[in-house]
Amino acid sequence: MRRDGSARGGLRIVGTAARKVDGPAKCTGALRFADDIVLPRTLACRILRSHVPHARIRGIDTTRARARPGVFAVLTGSDLPIPFGILPVSQDEHALCPDKVRFVGDPVAAVAAVDEETAWEAANAIRVDYDRLEPIMTIEQALSTETPRIHDYGEGGNVHKKVSLEFGDAEAGLRDADAVFEDIFFYEGSTHLPMEQHSATAMPEPDGRLTVWSSTQTPHYLHRALAKVLEMPASRIRVIACPNGGGFGGKSDPFNHEIVVAKLALLTGRPVKVTLTREEVFYCHRGRHPVLMQVKTGIARDGSIRALHFRSWLDGGAYGSYGVASTYYTGALQTVTYPIGAYKFEGLRVFTNKPPCGPKRGHGTPQPRYALEVHIDKIAERLGVDPADYRLRHLVPPGSLTVNHLRIGSMGLRTCIEKVVAGSGWKEKFRRQPRGRGIGLACSSYISGAGLPIYWNNMPHTGVLLKIDRGGGVTVFCGEIDIGQGSDTVLAQVVAEVLGIDPLDIRIVAGDTDLTPVDLGSYSSRVTLMMGNAAIQAAEKARGILATAAAREWAICAERVVFAGGRVLDSGDPGRAMSFADAVQRAEAASGTIGTVGSYTPPPSTARYRGSGVGPSPAYSYSAAVVEVAVEAATGLVHVERVHLAHDVGRAINPVLSVGQVEGSVYMGLGEALMEEQSFRANRNGVHRAPSMLEYKSPTTMEMPEVVTYLVEDPDPNGPFGAKEVGQGPLLPIAPAVANAVHDAIGVRVDAIPITPDAILRALQAPSKRAGPVRVPATDWPEPVRVPAPALDARPAPDTRPPRDAP
């Protein structure tokens, strides 16, 4: 707002009178209310995106766009030359492409205009001269094409990242095994499909500051990117993360549209807003990587895993995004469910001329978990062992150190398996139903937050500031952002539990870089554990201040003071009590205004090797799923009739929210297992086959089966009140459980996700009764980083107790 009346088409306030503005503001349709206060009208932004998958930009002609009435500003890549990215090692994006486009949908120019229609027309009037390059659309093509390179960095050619790690002697383990099993799998990419599209608004402030509102999962990292690209001090930029209609990882990166509206707002002196169309969201993507996998396992006579060799090839799309971390994640968590004697992981990510992939719910782990769990089922079948019994006999024990140096805390997978086996009637149904009906089991594990921040430092991963007013109201400030998972509710409940008050008496201020302490964002299932621990710390400090004041009033020791039901009581004399508000007033009179802080940093990892930053977590959740299906052999259609899922949540702070997260994970897992594909037209033009919610196949209410949820509570010492994650882990076992159920129903293996009807028909017609990849590309793997396995005394003997219903 400007007080000098110089803003074109602003809103001026005086009482309730209003009139149209003449002159320069006429095109804006702005309202003038007074001569002293101006509220600028929000401009609309549209972004011109590339229609070719790979090309150099010879030139951009914006003349016609700039000449259109109602256009306030036009940007091209030269206006925003500084690159950005979410990872320090992949600063490879520009808000607008300066010299090269790398996929259909890459942003080239942007327009700010009086309304969306004008902005669209102006953007379409921009002419871009492209020098087309050969598009690279597959993993195999990327590996075999040295030039043209999509990026000038990486491991050479179009390879972004190669990883090779070996823990113990995997080759010796395979050589000495009593049996060796080998499989190849493929997991297709998919997109997040949140109900709400991406949107951002930027507004310049009178003092030269900038405020950005965005539907982001990571306001802290967006804040960093804006400061870098705009070359502004971070202290002059405010990012407010709006509660948004779903993210699932798709809003974890800083995006070009957020930076573009910020630049346009600074240029025009007005608020500028952009909301992406659904088609644009499909092209922004950052979803599930397509991954090709090869698994080779050496098994001892008792079924234990002597050695595991796992390889993954990731199609990363056009930019780095979280891709380096994604590559490591395809190999990091195979070790946290079943003991492995020696482990070798080789992973590779390539660039292709498709929308960039990144983190989708379960980031980098659903693909390898699918491969491992189907592989385990095949092993159990070859050994003649019930798949549930096999898993129960080979579980990583709690408190142990895995072969790749990950510290396991509480481990409730045994109970999870027992719950779904009993609840589903597994023993009565597995291998005992008529042809066409099947039941499948799979297990999984996931992190409760990453052990290290994206930008390595020694500062806390989250902070909480707590203020108590004289009326007994509590305000909690935290940088976390609720993306639909209920983190605001959990924050209020944790503080209320410590202070003994109603959660409705707590006000939450979240996701505002000006007002709240830093929280790294809503990703990696980190919020409940990390925010919760920080909140407990802040609330306990406040409780201590109040308890001291009450104890002084009653002439007792502070340890006798308890908090419950909005009252402060003497545990030694239940008749002695005061209201929470009275306790606050006494404490404030004694020691001044009451404000406390809490913060959380994960415990240090025991791992000390290159690549060890991915995998360590304060706690690991565990899941087991049983899926029941009916398969039509004539058509290949799969009907999922019921899902039983048990999840080791540690401690359910809010059981209703926890069940909701489980059911949401089941829904998303079924979509990936049976129908979702981020696929592109076969003519290599980089155009998405189905960039709309009408065409992109995802489950509707008609496909959603009955879900029976079991919350297993095995409290973890590192979690707030013992809580662990529940937002992502339950997705992981769904796809392999469906695959195993299809095999039980009709005897075929579909070793590729999604399990479509045509894939089932191909498997039925194949002599091998299998559909899926049959070869992997020749790859020049680097020498592995060799890491000694932990000492045997640090790795307790595996839990080989038989199932409870076994003789």
Side-chain angles (χ1 to χ4, degrees):
M1 291 181 285
R2 284 192 274 182
R3 304 183 67 85
D4 61 2
S6 61
R8 293 174 57 197
L11 290 176
R12 298 170 185 252
I13 300 174
V14 55
T16 57
R19 62 184 176 84
K20 283 283 186 178
V21 177
D22 295 324
K26 189 171 183 179
C27 68
T28 71
L31 295 176
R32 176 172 295 168
F33 287 85
D35 291 332
D36 58 339
I37 298 178
V38 177
L39 295 177
R41 175 169 176 170
T42 301
L43 302 177
C45 168
R46 295 312 319 167
I47 297 173
L48 177 69
R49 299 180 182 275
S50 171
H51 65 277
V52 299
H54 199 193
R56 294 187 183 91
I57 299 174
R58 289 197 187 106
I60 303 177
D61 182 0
T62 63
T63 306
R64 293 198 301 166
R66 294 180 189 275
R68 296 189 74 86
V71 172
F72 281 74
V74 178
L75 294 178
T76 63
S78 61
D79 297 303
L80 291 160
I82 298 175
F84 69 96
I86 185 64
L87 299 184
V89 296
S90 300
Q91 301 284 299
D92 58 1
E93 299 187 58
H94 287 84
L96 298 169
C97 299
D99 52 17
K100 187 177 184 180
V101 294
R102 295 173 171 88
F103 70 100
V104 171
D106 228 356
V108 177
V111 174
V114 64
D115 53 37
E116 288 234 10
E117 184 178 358
T118 303
W120 271 119
E121 291 172 352
N124 289 332
I126 296 171
R127 294 292 175 260
V128 184
D129 183 12
Y130 292 112
D131 177 15
R132 296 188 181 226
L133 300 171
E134 183 74 10
I136 297 165
M137 303 302 292
T138 67
I139 294 172
E140 293 78 7
Q141 191 182 0
L143 288 172
S144 62
T145 304
E146 286 293 320
T147 57
R149 296 185 71 183
I150 296 174
H151 287 282
D152 293 330
Y153 79 100
E155 305 274 1
N158 287 292
V159 176
H160 177 203
K161 182 66 178 177
K162 285 183 180 180
V163 177
S164 185
L165 298 167
E166 187 171 13
F167 306 91
D169 193 338
E171 291 185 11
L174 290 168
R175 186 175 57 248
D176 297 340
D178 294 299
V180 175
F181 301 85
E182 190 167 355
D183 280 302
I184 301 173
F185 299 94
F186 179 72
Y187 199 112
E188 182 59 273
S190 58
T191 200
H192 312 85
L193 215 67
M195 291 295 289
E196 179 195 51
Q197 303 110 282
H198 300 249
S199 187
T201 299
M203 185 174 77
E205 304 288 355
D207 59 0
R209 293 167 60 88
L210 175 72
T211 300
V212 176
W213 292 264
S214 182
S215 57
T216 178
Q217 295 178 233
T218 54
H220 172 66
Y221 291 119
L222 173 57
H223 192 233
R224 291 182 63 114
L226 288 167
K228 178 187 178 186
V229 177
L230 300 176
E231 297 183 282
M232 290 179 64
S235 61
R236 307 291 290 171
I237 300 172
R238 180 184 186 185
V239 173
I240 300 173
C242 308
N244 56 73
F248 314 116
K251 298 170 182 175
S252 297
D253 286 72
F255 281 93
N256 52 72
H257 65 272
E258 295 164 319
I259 298 170
V260 163
V261 292
K263 182 67 172 181
L264 287 170
L266 293 172
L267 284 176
T268 63
R270 292 167 171 267
V272 181
K273 179 180 179 179
V274 63
T275 298
L276 303 190
T277 65
R278 179 61 60 179
E279 184 176 15
E280 285 180 294
V281 174
F282 272 91
Y283 284 105
C284 285
H285 193 41
R286 315 303 162 112
R288 187 82 72 219
H289 282 76
V291 182
L292 179 66
M293 295 160 284
Q294 184 179 42
V295 193
K296 189 175 183 180
T297 305
I299 300 295
R301 198 172 304 278
D302 64 356
S304 60
I305 300 175
R306 286 271 183 90
L308 173 64
H309 186 185
F310 196 96
R311 285 174 168 168
S312 61
W313 291 260
L314 291 77
D315 182 343
Y319 290 99
S321 184
Y322 285 82
V324 171
S326 307
T327 307
Y328 280 105
Y329 268 125
T330 60
L333 300 187
Q334 276 84 311
T335 62
V336 297
T337 44
Y338 317 113
I340 297 172
Y343 178 47
K344 186 175 185 178
F345 167 61
E346 293 170 311
L348 177 148
R349 184 182 192 262
V350 299
F351 289 120
T352 57
N353 293 119
K354 293 184 287 190
C357 299
K360 186 187 175 189
R361 201 172 195 166
H363 187 194
T365 63
Q367 305 97 316
R369 180 54 57 177
Y370 156 74
L372 182 62
E373 291 295 315
V374 174
H375 185 65
I376 289 289
D377 246 47
K378 293 182 180 184
I379 291 172
E381 184 176 22
R382 289 277 297 274
L383 297 178
V385 180
D386 181 294
D389 293 346
Y390 180 86
R391 289 171 170 86
L392 285 167
R393 290 169 183 161
H394 303 284
L395 294 177
V396 168
S400 63
L401 199 61
T402 68
V403 68
N404 58 337
H405 296 262
L406 303 182
R407 173 63 66 187
I408 306 299
S410 68
M411 202 280 195
L413 184 54
R414 170 175 290 277
T415 304
C416 290
I417 296 173
E418 291 170 346
K419 289 281 188 183
V420 296
V421 165
S424 65
W426 169 271
K427 294 293 185 181
E428 294 74 40
K429 296 176 181 177
F430 180 65
R431 299 285 190 265
R432 288 182 168 86
Q433 298 185 92
R435 180 173 173 79
R437 304 192 69 84
I439 190 168
L441 169 72
C443 301
S444 69
S445 177
Y446 195 63
I447 60 174
S448 297
L452 290 169
I454 290 174
Y455 289 81
W456 288 16
N457 58 68
N458 295 321
M459 291 181 283
H461 291 210
T462 189
V464 167
L465 188 152
L466 188 148
K467 177 187 75 69
I468 306 180
D469 64 54
R470 296 175 185 179
V474 177
T475 305
V476 183
F477 300 82
C478 181
E480 62 86 15
I481 174 62
D482 197 321
I483 58 171
Q485 82 278 40
S487 58
D488 285 358
T489 302
V490 170
L491 179 55
Q493 285 188 269
V494 167
V495 173
E497 179 71 18
V498 175
L499 296 180
I501 60 177
D502 192 320
L504 295 177
D505 290 331
I506 297 175
R507 181 180 296 276
I508 302 297
V509 179
D512 186 326
T513 59
D514 261 16
L515 301 182
T516 61
V518 167
D519 178 89
L520 298 185
S522 291
Y523 63 92
S524 295
S525 278
R526 57 176 299 282
V527 177
T528 291
L529 188 140
M530 298 194 183
M531 171 201 72
N533 278 320
I536 288 174
Q537 186 182 102
E540 286 179 342
K541 290 178 181 178
R543 185 179 64 185
I545 294 170
L546 301 185
T548 298
R552 185 181 299 113
E553 175 86 7
W554 296 327
I556 61 174
C557 63
E559 288 73 19
R560 279 176 51 177
V561 179
V562 296
F563 294 72
R567 294 172 64 78
V568 180
L569 307 98
D570 177 2
S571 61
D573 181 1
R576 183 183 288 165
M578 67 178 73
S579 70
F580 183 80
D582 286 342
V584 172
Q585 291 167 17
R586 285 166 171 77
E588 187 170 340
S591 56
T593 301
I594 301 172
T596 59
V597 296
S599 59
Y600 179 77
T601 302
S605 170
T606 59
R608 294 290 186 272
Y609 55 86
R610 182 177 175 83
S612 63
V614 173
S617 176
Y620 297 90
S621 70
Y622 289 89
S623 303
V626 167
V627 173
E628 299 181 62
V629 302
V631 183
E632 298 178 13
T635 63
L637 287 172
V638 177
H639 304 277
V640 178
E641 297 183 336
R642 189 174 295 104
V643 175
H644 292 260
L645 196 142
H647 183 73
D648 168 21
V649 69
R651 176 66 55 82
I653 291 175
N654 188 313
V656 174
L657 287 177
S658 297
V659 171
Q661 288 296 299
V662 169
E663 292 178 351
S665 292
V666 170
Y667 166 85
M668 191 168 282
L670 290 174
E672 293 186 15
L674 295 172
M675 61 188 75
E676 294 193 37
E677 296 180 85
Q678 176 89 346
S679 57
F680 299 83
R681 295 182 185 176
N683 58 6
R684 295 175 62 198
N685 63 4
V687 175
H688 200 293
R689 287 190 179 187
S692 77
M693 295 183 79
L694 178 65
E695 301 164 291
Y696 181 87
K697 291 183 173 64
S698 64
T700 68
T701 54
M702 300 299 292
E703 287 81 41
M704 188 63 184
E706 176 189 358
V707 179
V708 182
T709 300
Y710 310 86
L711 295 181
V712 173
E713 294 191 305
D714 186 2
D716 194 280
N718 284 333
F721 305 118
K724 300 194 284 190
E725 77 86 33
V726 68
Q728 302 187 60
L731 180 149
L732 274 61
I734 299 301
V738 170
N740 292 334
V742 167
H743 176 65
D744 185 46
I746 56 173
V748 302
R749 284 289 181 188
V750 179
D751 289 341
I753 293 294
I755 303 170
T756 58
D758 61 313
I760 289 177
L761 294 178
R762 287 198 308 272
L764 285 168
Q765 295 163 6
S768 64
K769 299 302 177 185
R770 176 188 178 273
V774 296
R775 64 180 62 86
V776 295
T779 304
D780 182 19
W781 297 103
E783 276 294 305
V785 175
R786 290 185 169 85
V787 183
L792 289 177
D793 58 358
R795 300 169 64 191
D799 186 351
T800 58
R801 291 174 294 169
R804 290 178 185 173
D805 59 353

